[in-house]
Structure formats: structure tokens, C-alpha cells
Amino acid sequence: MRQSSISRTVSWVIVSLLVVWAPLAAEDASGLAERAAAWAAEFNAGNFEAVAAMYAPDAERIPPNAEAIKGRDAILDYLRASAEMGASQVEIGVTEVESHGDTAWARGTYSLSDADGGHLDHGEWMSISKNIDGEWLTHRDIWNSSMPLPDMDE
């Protein structure tokens, strides 16, 4: 009798762990984590055309405190303008990735610095990708700064 109770308890624990952990261990068919690393490498190299090519033609980037940037060409212009304002190096961390069919999402952290390594910004991001004609492209991209807003009274 005791053996049966222990076996049921162990079975319940194993099933519970599988239910909780299996989705987290699922393979990311979209390669979103690798694409995030490529995004950072291309941005840091100043290859903004390659970064923009990672977006769907109708993609949107949604920055903090600004209107959405709509379309690949506008995204390219935004990336170039960011560099002209001093953004030079980005570090991207990926904390979650999940894909279902032709849609995937990820979230993570970022840190942005200038050419001298001076800290400009840091925060969190979330991205949605779609498989379009066999190619995974970013569909929506949003980020939020974790830095406090400047004092508006100054």
C-alpha cells in the first residue's frame, strides 16, 4: 500500500514538472534568439540596411514616448537617425522565446551606449515575428526604457 502511494506521488510530481517546464524547453523554430544576436551585431557594425532587412515590409517599431515607426524604409531611417544622435553599441539579452506555427514572440533586455562606451539607455523589449514565405521577419517591435524620465521642471 505504501509503495503504491509513493509511486502515485512520484508520478504526480513528474507529470507536474512536465506540464510546467515542457513549454519553456520547447524549441524556438523561429530562431528569434539568434536573430536578436544578429540584430545587435549588425547595429554595432553600423550596417543598418541589414538590420532593416530583418523586418517585414509592413513592420512597426514602437519606441517609448513616440509614434510608431511604420514600414521597413522608415525603420531604416530611424536606425540611421539613432546613430546620428550618438547611439553606437547595443547589447541585447533574450529572456523568453516562444513560437507557435508561423508566429513567434520574444522578450528581453537591452543596453545602449555611445561610441566611447557611455551609457545612454537600458530597459526591456518585446518582439513579434512572423514566418512570411519561409522567412522569419520581425512584425512588431517595442521597447521601454528603465531609466527615469528627466525632471520636467528644470
Side-chain angles (χ1 to χ4, degrees), residues 6-96:
I6 291 172
S7 293
R8 275 186 275 146
T9 301
V10 169
S11 295
W12 183 84
V13 168
I14 290 171
V15 168
S16 296
L17 288 173
L18 288 173
V19 168
V20 171
W21 292 105
L24 298 175
E27 182 179 332
D28 171 31
S30 72
L32 214 152
E34 291 83 7
R35 288 187 294 115
W39 195 105
E42 295 294 357
F43 181 90
N44 293 345
N47 190 356
F48 306 120
E49 292 81 7
V51 175
M54 295 178 189
Y55 288 85
D58 64 342
E60 291 185 25
R61 293 196 83 207
I62 307 166
N65 306 312
E67 296 294 322
I69 299 117
K70 298 179 180 183
R72 190 182 280 160
D73 292 338
I75 289 169
L76 176 58
D77 291 343
Y78 184 87
L79 293 167
R80 288 179 175 150
S82 296
E84 290 170 7
M85 291 187 299
S88 175
Q89 298 293 301
V90 66
E91 291 180 26
I92 297 176
V94 179
T95 57
E96 290 182 77

Coordinates of all heavy atoms in Angstrom, one line a residue, residues 6-96:
I6 N 3.6 6.1 -2.8 CA 4.8 6.7 -3.2 C 4.9 6.8 -4.7 O 5.3 7.8 -5.3 CB 6.1 6.0 -2.6 CG1 6.1 6.2 -1.1 CG2 7.3 6.5 -3.2 CD1 7.1 5.3 -0.3
S7 N 4.5 5.7 -5.4 CA 4.6 5.7 -6.8 C 3.6 6.8 -7.4 O 4.0 7.5 -8.4 CB 4.2 4.3 -7.4 OG 5.2 3.4 -7.0
R8 N 2.4 6.9 -6.8 CA 1.5 7.9 -7.3 C 2.0 9.3 -7.1 O 1.9 10.2 -7.9 CB 0.1 7.7 -6.7 CG -0.7 6.7 -7.4 CD -2.1 6.6 -6.8 NE -2.0 5.7 -5.6 CZ -2.7 5.8 -4.5 NH1 -3.5 6.7 -4.4 NH2 -2.5 4.9 -3.6
T9 N 2.6 9.5 -6.0 CA 3.2 10.8 -5.6 C 4.3 11.2 -6.6 O 4.4 12.3 -7.1 CB 3.7 10.9 -4.2 OG1 2.6 10.6 -3.3 CG2 4.3 12.2 -3.8
V10 N 5.2 10.2 -6.8 CA 6.3 10.5 -7.8 C 5.8 10.7 -9.2 O 6.2 11.6 -9.9 CB 7.3 9.3 -7.7 CG1 8.3 9.4 -8.9 CG2 8.1 9.2 -6.4
S11 N 4.8 10.0 -9.6 CA 4.2 10.1 -10.9 C 3.6 11.5 -11.0 O 3.7 12.2 -12.0 CB 3.2 9.1 -11.2 OG 3.8 7.8 -11.3
W12 N 2.9 11.9 -10.0 CA 2.2 13.2 -10.0 C 3.3 14.4 -10.1 O 3.1 15.3 -10.9 CB 1.4 13.4 -8.7 CG 0.7 14.7 -8.7 CD1 -0.5 15.0 -9.3 CD2 1.1 15.9 -8.1 NE1 -0.9 16.3 -9.0 CE2 0.1 16.9 -8.3 CE3 2.2 16.3 -7.3 CZ2 0.2 18.2 -7.8 CZ3 2.3 17.6 -6.9 CH2 1.3 18.5 -7.1
V13 N 4.4 14.2 -9.4 CA 5.4 15.2 -9.4 C 6.1 15.3 -10.8 O 6.3 16.4 -11.4 CB 6.5 14.9 -8.3 CG1 7.8 15.8 -8.6 CG2 6.0 15.2 -6.9
I14 N 6.3 14.2 -11.4 CA 6.9 14.1 -12.8 C 6.0 14.8 -13.8 O 6.4 15.6 -14.6 CB 7.3 12.7 -13.2 CG1 8.5 12.2 -12.3 CG2 7.6 12.6 -14.6 CD1 8.8 10.8 -12.5
V15 N 4.7 14.4 -13.7 CA 3.7 15.0 -14.7 C 3.6 16.5 -14.4 O 3.6 17.3 -15.4 CB 2.3 14.3 -14.5 CG1 1.3 15.1 -15.3 CG2 2.4 12.9 -15.0
S16 N 3.6 16.9 -13.2 CA 3.5 18.4 -12.9 C 4.7 19.1 -13.5 O 4.6 20.2 -14.1 CB 3.4 18.6 -11.4 OG 2.2 18.0 -10.9
L17 N 5.9 18.5 -13.3 CA 7.1 19.2 -13.8 C 7.1 19.2 -15.4 O 7.5 20.2 -16.0 CB 8.4 18.4 -13.4 CG 8.7 18.6 -11.9 CD1 9.9 17.7 -11.5 CD2 9.1 20.1 -11.6
L18 N 6.6 18.2 -16.0 CA 6.5 18.2 -17.5 C 5.5 19.3 -17.9 O 5.8 20.0 -18.9 CB 6.1 16.8 -18.0 CG 7.2 15.7 -17.9 CD1 6.6 14.4 -18.3 CD2 8.3 16.1 -18.8
V19 N 4.4 19.4 -17.3 CA 3.4 20.4 -17.7 C 4.0 21.8 -17.5 O 3.8 22.7 -18.3 CB 2.1 20.2 -16.8 CG1 1.2 21.4 -17.0 CG2 1.4 18.9 -17.2
V20 N 4.7 22.0 -16.4 CA 5.3 23.4 -16.2 C 6.5 23.7 -17.1 O 6.6 24.7 -17.6 CB 5.6 23.5 -14.7 CG1 6.4 24.8 -14.4 CG2 4.4 23.5 -13.8
W21 N 7.4 22.7 -17.2 CA 8.7 23.0 -17.8 C 8.7 22.7 -19.3 O 9.5 23.3 -20.1 CB 9.8 22.2 -17.1 CG 10.0 22.8 -15.8 CD1 9.7 22.2 -14.6 CD2 10.6 24.0 -15.4 NE1 10.0 23.0 -13.6 CE2 10.6 24.1 -14.0 CE3 11.2 25.1 -16.2 CZ2 11.1 25.2 -13.4 CZ3 11.7 26.2 -15.5 CH2 11.7 26.2 -14.1
A22 N 7.8 21.8 -19.8 CA 7.9 21.5 -21.2 C 7.7 22.7 -22.2 O 8.5 22.8 -23.1 CB 6.8 20.4 -21.6
P23 N 6.8 23.6 -21.9 CA 6.7 24.7 -22.8 C 7.9 25.6 -22.8 O 8.3 26.2 -23.8 CB 5.5 25.5 -22.2 CG 4.7 24.5 -21.5 CD 5.7 23.6 -20.9
L24 N 8.6 25.7 -21.6 CA 9.8 26.5 -21.5 C 10.9 25.9 -22.3 O 11.8 26.6 -22.8 CB 10.2 26.7 -20.1 CG 9.1 27.5 -19.2 CD1 9.6 27.5 -17.8 CD2 8.9 28.9 -19.8
A25 N 10.9 24.6 -22.4 CA 12.0 23.9 -23.1 C 11.8 23.7 -24.6 O 12.6 23.2 -25.3 CB 12.3 22.6 -22.4
A26 N 10.6 24.1 -25.0 CA 10.2 23.9 -26.4 C 11.2 24.6 -27.3 O 11.6 25.7 -27.0 CB 8.8 24.4 -26.7
E27 N 11.5 24.0 -28.4 CA 12.5 24.6 -29.4 C 11.8 25.8 -30.0 O 10.6 25.8 -30.4 CB 12.8 23.5 -30.4 CG 13.8 24.0 -31.4 CD 14.2 23.0 -32.5 OE1 14.1 21.8 -32.2 OE2 14.5 23.4 -33.6
D28 N 12.6 26.8 -30.2 CA 12.2 28.0 -30.9 C 12.4 27.8 -32.4 O 13.5 28.0 -32.9 CB 12.9 29.2 -30.4 CG 12.6 30.5 -31.2 OD1 11.5 30.6 -31.7 OD2 13.5 31.3 -31.3
A29 N 11.4 27.5 -33.1 CA 11.5 27.2 -34.6 C 11.8 28.5 -35.3 O 12.3 28.4 -36.5 CB 10.2 26.6 -35.1
S30 N 11.6 29.6 -34.7 CA 11.8 30.9 -35.5 C 13.2 31.4 -35.4 O 13.6 32.3 -36.2 CB 10.9 32.0 -34.9 OG 11.4 32.4 -33.6
G31 N 14.0 30.8 -34.6 CA 15.4 31.3 -34.5 C 15.5 32.7 -33.9 O 16.5 33.5 -34.2
L32 N 14.5 33.2 -33.2 CA 14.4 34.6 -32.8 C 15.6 35.0 -31.9 O 16.1 36.1 -32.0 CB 13.1 34.8 -32.0 CG 12.5 36.2 -32.2 CD1 11.0 36.2 -32.1 CD2 13.1 37.2 -31.3
A33 N 16.1 34.1 -31.0 CA 17.2 34.5 -30.2 C 18.4 34.7 -31.0 O 19.2 35.7 -30.8 CB 17.4 33.4 -29.1
E34 N 18.7 33.9 -32.0 CA 19.8 34.1 -32.9 C 19.7 35.3 -33.7 O 20.6 36.1 -34.0 CB 20.0 32.8 -33.8 CG 20.4 31.6 -33.1 CD 19.3 30.8 -32.5 OE1 18.1 31.2 -32.7 OE2 19.6 29.9 -31.8
R35 N 18.4 35.6 -34.1 CA 18.2 36.9 -34.9 C 18.4 38.1 -34.0 O 18.9 39.1 -34.5 CB 16.8 36.8 -35.5 CG 16.7 35.8 -36.7 CD 15.4 35.9 -37.5 NE 14.3 35.4 -36.7 CZ 13.3 36.2 -36.4 NH1 13.2 37.5 -36.7 NH2 12.3 35.7 -35.6
A36 N 18.1 38.0 -32.8 CA 18.4 39.1 -31.9 C 19.9 39.4 -31.8 O 20.3 40.5 -31.8 CB 17.8 38.9 -30.5
A37 N 20.6 38.3 -31.7 CA 22.1 38.5 -31.6 C 22.6 39.1 -33.0 O 23.5 39.9 -32.9 CB 22.8 37.1 -31.4
A38 N 22.1 38.6 -34.1 CA 22.5 39.2 -35.4 C 22.1 40.7 -35.5 O 22.8 41.5 -36.0 CB 21.8 38.4 -36.5
W39 N 20.9 41.0 -34.9 CA 20.4 42.4 -34.9 C 21.5 43.3 -34.2 O 21.9 44.3 -34.8 CB 19.1 42.5 -34.2 CG 18.3 43.7 -34.4 CD1 17.2 43.9 -35.2 CD2 18.5 45.0 -33.8 NE1 16.7 45.2 -35.1 CE2 17.5 45.9 -34.3 CE3 19.4 45.5 -32.9 CZ2 17.4 47.2 -33.9 CZ3 19.3 46.9 -32.5 CH2 18.3 47.7 -33.0
A40 N 21.9 42.9 -33.0 CA 22.9 43.6 -32.3 C 24.2 43.7 -33.0 O 24.8 44.8 -33.1 CB 23.1 43.0 -30.9
A41 N 24.7 42.6 -33.6 CA 25.9 42.6 -34.3 C 25.9 43.6 -35.5 O 26.9 44.3 -35.7 CB 26.3 41.2 -34.8
E42 N 24.8 43.5 -36.3 CA 24.7 44.4 -37.4 C 24.6 45.9 -37.0 O 25.2 46.8 -37.6 CB 23.5 44.0 -38.3 CG 23.7 42.6 -38.9 CD 24.8 42.5 -39.9 OE1 25.5 43.5 -40.3 OE2 25.1 41.4 -40.4
F43 N 23.8 46.2 -36.0 CA 23.6 47.5 -35.5 C 25.0 48.1 -35.0 O 25.4 49.2 -35.4 CB 22.6 47.6 -34.3 CG 22.4 49.0 -33.8 CD1 21.4 49.8 -34.4 CD2 23.2 49.5 -32.8 CE1 21.2 51.1 -33.9 CE2 23.0 50.8 -32.3 CZ 22.0 51.6 -32.9
N44 N 25.7 47.3 -34.2 CA 27.0 47.7 -33.7 C 28.0 47.9 -34.8 O 28.9 48.7 -34.7 CB 27.5 46.7 -32.7 CG 26.7 46.6 -31.5 OD1 25.8 47.5 -31.2 ND2 26.8 45.5 -30.7
A45 N 27.9 47.2 -35.9 CA 28.8 47.4 -37.1 C 28.3 48.6 -38.0 O 29.0 48.9 -38.9 CB 28.8 46.1 -37.9
G46 N 27.2 49.2 -37.6 CA 26.7 50.3 -38.4 C 26.0 49.8 -39.7 O 25.8 50.6 -40.6
N47 N 25.7 48.6 -39.8 CA 25.0 48.0 -41.0 C 23.5 48.1 -40.9 O 22.9 47.1 -40.7 CB 25.5 46.6 -41.3 CG 25.1 46.1 -42.6 OD1 24.4 46.7 -43.4 ND2 25.5 44.9 -42.9
F48 N 23.0 49.3 -40.9 CA 21.6 49.5 -40.7 C 20.7 48.9 -41.7 O 19.5 48.5 -41.5 CB 21.3 51.0 -40.5 CG 22.2 51.6 -39.4 CD1 23.0 52.6 -39.7 CD2 22.2 51.0 -38.1 CE1 23.8 53.1 -38.7 CE2 23.0 51.6 -37.1 CZ 23.8 52.6 -37.4
E49 N 21.2 48.8 -43.0 CA 20.4 48.1 -44.0 C 20.1 46.7 -43.7 O 19.1 46.1 -43.9 CB 21.2 48.2 -45.4 CG 21.2 49.6 -45.9 CD 22.4 50.5 -45.3 OE1 23.2 49.9 -44.5 OE2 22.4 51.7 -45.6
A50 N 21.2 46.0 -43.1 CA 21.0 44.6 -42.7 C 20.0 44.5 -41.6 O 19.2 43.5 -41.5 CB 22.3 43.9 -42.3
V51 N 20.0 45.4 -40.6 CA 19.1 45.4 -39.5 C 17.6 45.6 -40.1 O 16.7 44.8 -39.8 CB 19.4 46.5 -38.5 CG1 18.3 46.5 -37.4 CG2 20.8 46.2 -37.9
A52 N 17.5 46.6 -40.9 CA 16.1 46.9 -41.5 C 15.6 45.7 -42.3 O 14.4 45.4 -42.3 CB 16.2 48.1 -42.4
A53 N 16.5 44.9 -42.9 CA 16.1 43.8 -43.7 C 15.5 42.6 -42.9 O 14.9 41.7 -43.4 CB 17.3 43.2 -44.6
M54 N 15.8 42.7 -41.6 CA 15.2 41.7 -40.6 C 13.8 41.9 -40.3 O 13.1 41.1 -39.6 CB 16.0 41.7 -39.3 CG 17.5 41.3 -39.5 SD 18.3 41.3 -37.9 CE 20.0 41.1 -38.5
Y55 N 13.2 43.1 -40.8 CA 11.8 43.4 -40.6 C 11.0 43.1 -41.8 O 11.4 43.3 -42.9 CB 11.7 44.9 -40.2 CG 12.3 45.3 -38.9 CD1 13.6 45.5 -38.7 CD2 11.5 45.3 -37.8 CE1 14.2 45.8 -37.4 CE2 12.0 45.6 -36.5 CZ 13.3 45.9 -36.4 OH 13.8 46.2 -35.1
A56 N 9.7 42.8 -41.5 CA 8.7 42.6 -42.6 C 8.5 44.0 -43.3 O 8.7 45.0 -42.6 CB 7.4 42.1 -42.0
P57 N 8.1 44.0 -44.5 CA 7.9 45.3 -45.2 C 6.9 46.2 -44.5 O 7.0 47.4 -44.5 CB 7.3 44.8 -46.6 CG 7.9 43.5 -46.8 CD 8.0 42.8 -45.4
D58 N 5.9 45.6 -43.8 CA 4.9 46.3 -43.1 C 5.1 46.3 -41.6 O 4.2 46.6 -40.8 CB 3.5 45.8 -43.4 CG 3.3 44.4 -42.9 OD1 4.3 43.7 -42.6 OD2 2.1 43.9 -42.8
A59 N 6.3 46.1 -41.2 CA 6.7 46.0 -39.7 C 6.5 47.4 -39.1 O 6.4 48.4 -39.7 CB 8.1 45.6 -39.6
E60 N 6.3 47.3 -37.7 CA 6.3 48.5 -36.9 C 7.2 48.4 -35.7 O 7.2 47.4 -35.1 CB 4.8 48.8 -36.4 CG 3.9 49.1 -37.5 CD 2.5 49.5 -37.0 OE1 2.4 49.9 -35.8 OE2 1.5 49.3 -37.7
R61 N 8.0 49.5 -35.5 CA 8.8 49.6 -34.2 C 8.0 50.6 -33.4 O 7.6 51.7 -33.9 CB 10.2 50.1 -34.5 CG 11.0 49.1 -35.3 CD 12.5 49.4 -35.2 NE 13.0 48.8 -33.9 CZ 14.0 49.3 -33.3 NH1 14.7 50.3 -33.7 NH2 14.4 48.7 -32.1
I62 N 7.9 50.3 -32.1 CA 7.1 51.2 -31.2 C 8.0 51.6 -30.1 O 8.2 51.0 -29.1 CB 5.9 50.4 -30.7 CG1 5.1 49.8 -31.9 CG2 5.0 51.3 -29.9 CD1 4.0 48.8 -31.5
P63 N 8.6 52.8 -30.3 CA 9.6 53.3 -29.3 C 8.8 54.0 -28.1 O 7.7 54.4 -28.3 CB 10.4 54.4 -30.1 CG 9.4 54.8 -31.1 CD 8.5 53.7 -31.5
P64 N 9.5 54.2 -27.0 CA 8.9 54.9 -25.9 C 8.7 56.4 -26.2 O 9.6 57.0 -26.9 CB 9.9 54.7 -24.8 CG 11.2 54.3 -25.4 CD 10.9 53.7 -26.7
N65 N 7.6 56.9 -25.8 CA 7.4 58.4 -25.9 C 7.4 58.9 -27.3 O 7.8 60.0 -27.6 CB 8.4 59.1 -25.0 CG 8.4 58.7 -23.6 OD1 7.4 58.5 -23.0 ND2 9.6 58.4 -23.1
A66 N 7.0 58.1 -28.3 CA 7.0 58.5 -29.7 C 5.9 57.7 -30.5 O 5.4 56.7 -30.0 CB 8.4 58.3 -30.3
E67 N 5.6 58.2 -31.6 CA 4.7 57.4 -32.5 C 5.4 56.2 -33.1 O 6.6 56.2 -33.2 CB 4.3 58.4 -33.7 CG 3.5 59.6 -33.2 CD 2.1 59.2 -32.6 OE1 1.5 58.3 -33.1 OE2 1.7 59.9 -31.6
A68 N 4.6 55.2 -33.5 CA 5.2 54.0 -34.1 C 5.9 54.4 -35.4 O 5.5 55.3 -36.2 CB 4.0 53.0 -34.4
I69 N 6.9 53.7 -35.7 CA 7.7 53.8 -37.0 C 7.2 52.7 -37.8 O 7.3 51.5 -37.5 CB 9.2 53.7 -36.7 CG1 9.7 54.8 -35.8 CG2 9.9 53.7 -38.0 CD1 10.2 54.3 -34.5
K70 N 6.6 53.0 -39.0 CA 5.8 52.1 -39.8 C 6.6 51.8 -41.1 O 6.8 52.8 -41.9 CB 4.4 52.5 -40.1 CG 3.6 52.7 -38.8 CD 2.2 53.2 -39.0 CE 1.5 53.3 -37.7 NZ 0.1 53.7 -37.9
G71 N 6.9 50.6 -41.4 CA 7.5 50.2 -42.7 C 9.0 50.1 -42.6 O 9.7 50.7 -41.8
R72 N 9.5 49.2 -43.4 CA 11.0 48.9 -43.4 C 11.8 50.1 -43.7 O 12.8 50.4 -43.1 CB 11.2 47.8 -44.4 CG 12.6 47.2 -44.3 CD 12.9 46.2 -45.4 NE 12.3 44.9 -44.9 CZ 12.0 43.9 -45.8 NH1 12.2 44.0 -47.1 NH2 11.5 42.8 -45.3
D73 N 11.4 51.0 -44.7 CA 12.1 52.2 -45.0 C 12.2 53.2 -43.9 O 13.2 53.8 -43.6 CB 11.6 52.9 -46.3 CG 11.8 52.0 -47.5 OD1 12.7 51.1 -47.6 OD2 11.0 52.2 -48.5
A74 N 11.1 53.3 -43.2 CA 11.0 54.3 -42.0 C 11.9 53.7 -40.9 O 12.5 54.5 -40.2 CB 9.6 54.5 -41.6
I75 N 11.9 52.4 -40.8 CA 12.7 51.8 -39.7 C 14.2 52.0 -40.0 O 15.0 52.4 -39.1 CB 12.4 50.3 -39.6 CG1 11.0 50.1 -39.0 CG2 13.5 49.5 -38.8 CD1 10.5 48.7 -39.0
L76 N 14.6 51.9 -41.3 CA 16.0 52.2 -41.7 C 16.3 53.6 -41.4 O 17.4 53.9 -40.8 CB 16.2 51.9 -43.2 CG 17.5 52.2 -43.7 CD1 18.7 51.5 -43.0 CD2 17.6 51.9 -45.2
D77 N 15.4 54.6 -41.7 CA 15.7 56.0 -41.4 C 15.8 56.2 -39.9 O 16.7 57.0 -39.4 CB 14.5 56.9 -41.9 CG 14.5 56.9 -43.5 OD1 15.5 56.5 -44.1 OD2 13.5 57.3 -44.0
Y78 N 15.0 55.5 -39.1 CA 15.0 55.7 -37.6 C 16.4 55.2 -37.1 O 17.0 55.8 -36.2 CB 13.9 54.9 -37.0 CG 13.8 55.1 -35.5 CD1 13.1 56.2 -35.0 CD2 14.4 54.2 -34.7 CE1 13.0 56.4 -33.6 CE2 14.3 54.4 -33.3 CZ 13.6 55.5 -32.8 OH 13.6 55.6 -31.4
L79 N 16.8 54.0 -37.6 CA 18.1 53.5 -37.2 C 19.3 54.4 -37.5 O 20.1 54.6 -36.6 CB 18.3 52.1 -37.8 CG 17.4 51.0 -37.4 CD1 17.5 49.8 -38.3 CD2 17.6 50.6 -36.0
R80 N 19.3 55.0 -38.7 CA 20.3 55.9 -39.1 C 20.3 57.2 -38.2 O 21.3 57.7 -37.7 CB 20.1 56.3 -40.5 CG 20.5 55.2 -41.5 CD 20.3 55.6 -42.9 NE 20.8 54.6 -43.8 CZ 20.3 54.4 -45.0 NH1 19.3 55.2 -45.5 NH2 20.8 53.5 -45.8
A81 N 19.1 57.7 -37.9 CA 18.9 58.8 -37.0 C 19.4 58.5 -35.6 O 20.0 59.4 -35.0 CB 17.4 59.3 -37.0
S82 N 19.1 57.3 -35.1 CA 19.6 57.0 -33.8 C 21.1 57.0 -33.7 O 21.7 57.5 -32.8 CB 19.2 55.5 -33.4 OG 17.8 55.5 -33.4
A83 N 21.8 56.5 -34.8 CA 23.3 56.6 -34.8 C 23.8 58.0 -34.9 O 24.7 58.4 -34.2 CB 23.8 55.8 -36.0
E84 N 23.1 58.9 -35.7 CA 23.5 60.3 -35.8 C 23.3 61.0 -34.4 O 24.0 62.0 -34.2 CB 22.6 61.0 -36.9 CG 23.0 60.5 -38.3 CD 22.0 61.0 -39.3 OE1 21.1 61.8 -39.0 OE2 22.2 60.5 -40.5
M85 N 22.4 60.5 -33.6 CA 22.2 61.1 -32.3 C 23.2 60.5 -31.2 O 23.1 60.9 -30.1 CB 20.8 61.0 -31.8 CG 19.8 61.8 -32.6 SD 18.1 61.8 -32.0 CE 17.6 60.1 -32.1
G86 N 24.0 59.6 -31.6 CA 25.1 59.1 -30.7 C 24.9 57.6 -30.3 O 25.9 57.1 -29.7
A87 N 23.8 56.9 -30.7 CA 23.7 55.5 -30.3 C 24.7 54.7 -31.2 O 24.7 54.8 -32.4 CB 22.3 55.0 -30.6
S88 N 25.5 54.0 -30.6 CA 26.6 53.3 -31.3 C 26.6 51.8 -31.0 O 26.9 51.0 -31.9 CB 27.9 53.9 -30.9 OG 29.0 53.2 -31.5
Q89 N 26.4 51.4 -29.8 CA 26.6 50.0 -29.4 C 25.3 49.6 -28.6 O 24.9 50.3 -27.7 CB 27.8 49.7 -28.6 CG 29.1 50.1 -29.3 CD 29.4 49.1 -30.5 OE1 29.5 47.9 -30.3 NE2 29.5 49.7 -31.7
V90 N 24.8 48.4 -28.9 CA 23.7 47.8 -28.2 C 24.1 46.4 -27.7 O 24.7 45.7 -28.4 CB 22.4 47.8 -29.0 CG1 22.5 46.9 -30.2 CG2 21.2 47.5 -28.2
E91 N 23.7 46.1 -26.5 CA 23.7 44.7 -26.0 C 22.3 44.3 -25.8 O 21.5 45.0 -25.2 CB 24.5 44.7 -24.7 CG 26.0 45.0 -24.8 CD 26.6 44.9 -23.4 OE1 26.1 44.2 -22.5 OE2 27.7 45.6 -23.3
I92 N 22.0 43.1 -26.3 CA 20.7 42.6 -26.3 C 20.7 41.2 -25.5 O 21.5 40.3 -25.9 CB 20.0 42.4 -27.7 CG1 19.9 43.7 -28.4 CG2 18.7 41.7 -27.6 CD1 19.4 43.6 -29.8
G93 N 19.9 41.1 -24.5 CA 19.7 39.8 -23.8 C 18.3 39.3 -24.1 O 17.3 40.1 -24.2
V94 N 18.2 38.0 -24.3 CA 16.9 37.4 -24.6 C 16.5 36.5 -23.3 O 17.3 35.7 -22.9 CB 17.0 36.5 -25.8 CG1 15.7 35.8 -26.1 CG2 17.4 37.3 -27.0
T95 N 15.4 36.8 -22.8 CA 15.0 36.1 -21.6 C 13.8 35.1 -21.8 O 13.7 34.2 -21.0 CB 14.5 37.1 -20.5 OG1 13.5 37.9 -21.0 CG2 15.7 38.0 -20.0
E96 N 13.1 35.3 -22.9 CA 12.0 34.4 -23.2 C 11.8 34.4 -24.7 O 11.9 35.4 -25.4 CB 10.6 34.8 -22.6 CG 10.5 34.8 -21.1 CD 9.1 35.2 -20.7 OE1 8.2 34.4 -20.8 OE2 9.0 36.3 -20.2

